[in-house]
């Protein structure tokens, strides 16, 4: 068991395998305000300094029920979305145009994952099945069956010769996606599994569940190597390894995202300010156009939050959604964020981090605040089925 020490010292960059951080943590605060305009839905993007300035590029609509997952393709050219409407949709990232719709599940879809070549998508559904899709031909290749309850999460290993899934049957299954064979069926947790991921080598699997445990597994043997428990005992709703596998980023249903040192099982950073007590909302590592390392998350208060990885400072709050931001993903190599809302929103918003001419203003402190105002009339909406 470990305590959340919120260490102020630098950590080695989770984004780099061998690089030590040179970032200097700071306690400088950031102010985010809302200024609705009459007759328009206003979006205000505030950032202290000019290190990050994400703005809405366009809005995509097409799903008819809550959007559950967003995933950029490995080459960054496509964005896949899934929802409670039982559909997977694939969009062009540059234009927002629909490329294909994948239909075949009998119940809503909770998660999707791309293969490393961008040709296949795996989708996990409440119908207890995982479907492997051929994206170029928009057809189902095979259905993986074995879970005895809702399949909630799914991911490929880096080579895409294995697939891991977790479900409400409290198990983790490791599959051969080429033939649908089950390689491991692990009785992993005592409550529904909420997230599963591989590390960059594919040798480790990480999982979390509503039993409040994070567990690391040996992929080859299926043996549990380590269990991480937070002192405050909140439910862990999402978890992933850092790109160098030295750290673990975990989202909890206590309005907190925690960064754990994998080796010591010690919490070294925590990120707060968003609202998350009900839904499983992922948190992702991201890099801005200036190279700043960040943590990004959706929120139940309809916003997207961006924190500085090192200082934990809230850098930006993206407003515009009209319901809980349940799905979020970051582009594999560009400063682009995709976010999506639940049933009262149903929009996918694409945000780009772009430099702009600052509008200086004083808010009572010495910091200059950069404000970008956008209304619903200034953002192109692409309505596609």
């Amino acid at each position: 068991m470990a305590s959340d020490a919120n260490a102020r010292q630098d950590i080695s960059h989770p984004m780099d395998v061998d690089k030590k951080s040179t970032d200097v943590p700071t306690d400088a605060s950031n102010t985010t305000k809302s200024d609705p305009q009459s007759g328009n839905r206003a979006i205000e993007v505030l950032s202290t300094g000019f290190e990050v300035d994400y703005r809405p590029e366009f809005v995509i609509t097409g799903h008819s029920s809550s959007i559950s997952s967003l995933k950029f393709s490995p080459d960054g050219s496509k964005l896949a979305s899934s929802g409670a409407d039982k559909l997977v949709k694939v969009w062009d990232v540059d234009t927002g145009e629909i490329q294909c719709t994948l239909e075949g599940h009998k119940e809503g879809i909770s998660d999707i994952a791309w293969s490393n070549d961008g040709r296949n998508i795996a989708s996990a559904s409440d119908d207890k099945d995982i479907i492997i899709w051929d994206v170029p031909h928009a057809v189902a290749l095979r259905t993986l069956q074995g879970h005895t309850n809702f399949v909630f999460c799914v991911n490929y290993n880096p080579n895409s010769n294995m697939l891991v899934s977790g479900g409400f049957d409290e198990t983790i299954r490791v599959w051969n996606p080429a033939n649908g064979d089950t390689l491991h069926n692990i009785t992993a947790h005592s409550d529904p599994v909420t997230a599963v991921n591989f590390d960059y080598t594919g040798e480790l699997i990480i999982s979390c569940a509503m039993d409040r445990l994070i567990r690391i597994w040996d992929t080859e043997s299926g043996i549990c190597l380590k269990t991480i428990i937070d002192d405050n005992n909140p439910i862990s709703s999402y978890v992933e390894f850092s790109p160098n596998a030295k750290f673990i980023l975990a989202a909890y249903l206590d309005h907190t995202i925690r960064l754990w040192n994998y080796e010591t099982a010690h919490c070294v950073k925590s990120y707060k300010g968003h609202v998350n007590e009900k839904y499983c909302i992922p948190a992702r590592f991201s890099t801005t156009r200036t190279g700043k390392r960040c943590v990004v998350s959706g929120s139940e208060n309809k916003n997207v939050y961006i924190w500085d990885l090192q200082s934990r400072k809230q850098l930006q709050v993206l407003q515009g959604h009209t319901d809980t931001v349940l799905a979020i993903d970051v582009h594999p190599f560009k400063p682009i964020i995709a976010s999506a809302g639940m049933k009262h929103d149903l929009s996918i918003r694409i945000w780009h981090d772009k430099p702009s001419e600052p509008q200086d203003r004083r808010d009572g402190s010495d910091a200059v605040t950069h404000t970008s105002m956008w209304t619903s009339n200034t953002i192109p909406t692409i309505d596609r089925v």
Side-chain angles (χ1 to χ4, degrees):
M1 187 176 295
S3 63
D4 181 353
N6 248 334
R8 290 290 311 282
Q9 74 274 14
D10 283 354
I11 58 173
S12 68
H13 271 312
M15 311 292 280
D16 298 324
V17 174
D18 294 314
K19 180 180 177 181
K20 287 290 184 180
S21 169
T22 56
D23 287 355
V24 179
T26 174
D27 284 332
S29 61
N30 179 40
T31 303
T32 302
K33 301 177 183 178
S34 178
D35 184 19
Q37 297 178 350
S38 176
N40 290 310
R41 183 171 66 253
I43 299 171
E44 187 172 11
V45 180
L46 287 83
S47 59
T48 301
F50 313 111
E51 298 168 315
V52 56
D53 187 12
Y54 280 94
R55 308 184 201 178
E57 189 74 5
F58 52 79
V59 178
I60 303 169
T61 61
H63 283 280
S64 59
S65 295
S66 295
I67 300 167
S68 58
S69 183
L70 294 173
K71 297 290 175 64
F72 284 101
S73 61
D75 67 359
S77 66
K78 304 177 188 66
L79 178 70
S81 60
S82 65
D85 56 6
K86 313 173 190 177
L87 302 177
V88 176
K89 291 179 177 286
V90 180
W91 315 87
D92 184 281
V93 168
D94 292 329
T95 67
E97 295 289 335
I98 185 73
Q99 293 197 340
C100 66
T101 297
L102 309 176
E103 187 173 359
H105 279 293
K106 302 178 186 67
E107 300 292 343
I109 301 168
S110 292
D111 199 14
I112 48 177
W114 286 91
S115 62
N116 63 357
D117 61 3
R119 293 189 60 86
N120 300 135
I121 289 175
S123 55
S125 171
D126 286 359
D127 62 13
K128 309 176 189 177
D129 292 343
I130 299 165
I131 296 180
I132 308 294
W133 303 91
D134 179 330
V135 175
H137 298 96
V139 297
L141 291 177
R142 62 189 53 85
T143 300
L144 311 185
Q145 296 180 321
H147 281 285
T148 59
N149 207 330
F150 307 146
V151 190
F152 194 72
C153 44
V154 66
N155 262 301
Y156 280 96
N157 72 336
N159 292 329
S160 295
N161 59 357
M162 282 188 286
L163 191 74
V164 64
S165 60
F168 272 53
D169 58 7
E170 304 170 6
T171 69
I172 293 172
R173 284 181 174 261
V174 181
W175 311 82
N176 180 344
N179 57 23
D181 288 348
T182 299
L183 304 177
H184 293 297
N185 180 17
I186 305 169
T187 303
H189 291 273
S190 58
D191 276 307
V193 179
T194 53
V196 286
N197 268 296
F198 287 95
D199 75 333
Y200 76 95
T201 68
E203 297 174 358
L204 299 176
I205 294 170
I206 191 165
S207 66
C208 64
M210 296 185 73
D211 62 5
R212 307 170 193 270
L213 303 179
I214 295 172
R215 284 184 162 154
I216 295 92
W217 310 84
D218 178 78
T219 301
E220 183 176 1
S221 66
I223 294 173
C224 183
L225 303 176
K226 186 173 295 187
T227 298
I228 296 175
I229 308 172
D230 188 88
D231 281 346
N232 295 324
N233 205 31
I235 291 174
S236 179
S237 57
Y238 180 80
V239 68
E240 67 175 35
F241 282 107
S242 64
N244 64 8
K246 294 181 180 179
F247 297 90
I248 294 165
L249 189 66
Y252 291 86
L253 298 186
D254 65 349
H255 317 289
T256 306
I257 299 165
R258 294 174 174 86
L259 187 70
W260 297 85
N261 182 300
Y262 166 66
E263 291 295 332
T264 65
H266 179 70
C267 182
V268 294
K269 304 279 183 182
S270 64
Y271 309 89
K272 299 182 179 182
H274 64 310
V275 178
N276 190 195
E277 60 182 358
K278 184 176 181 181
Y279 298 106
C280 294
I281 301 174
R284 305 303 310 276
F285 293 104
S286 179
T287 303
T288 70
R289 72 180 190 281
T290 61
K292 180 167 285 295
R293 314 304 172 85
C294 300
V295 172
V296 181
S297 175
S299 177
E300 290 165 19
N301 66 356
K302 311 173 188 178
N303 298 332
V304 176
Y305 286 77
I306 305 172
W307 296 267
D308 183 291
L309 174 68
Q310 291 287 350
S311 70
R312 299 171 284 117
K313 180 177 69 174
Q314 189 180 110
L315 296 176
Q316 204 170 11
V317 178
L318 311 182
Q319 298 177 336
H321 284 288
T322 57
D323 203 346
T324 294
V325 181
L326 185 64
I328 195 161
D329 198 23
V330 297
H331 195 278
F333 49 85
K334 292 181 180 179
I336 300 174
I337 295 171
S339 59
M342 291 186 65
K343 60 183 178 180
H344 297 302
D345 184 325
L346 302 181
S347 70
I348 300 170
R349 290 175 179 263
I350 307 297
W351 310 82
H352 286 209
D353 182 17
K354 292 182 175 180
S356 63
E357 292 298 321
Q359 297 176 358
D360 291 358
R361 79 183 217 185
R362 298 291 173 174
D363 60 0
S365 68
D366 291 333
V368 177
T369 303
H370 181 194
T371 305
S372 300
M373 287 297 302
W374 300 80
T375 72
S376 58
N377 292 333
T378 65
I379 310 168
T381 299
I382 302 167
D383 191 0
R384 296 287 183 270
V385 297

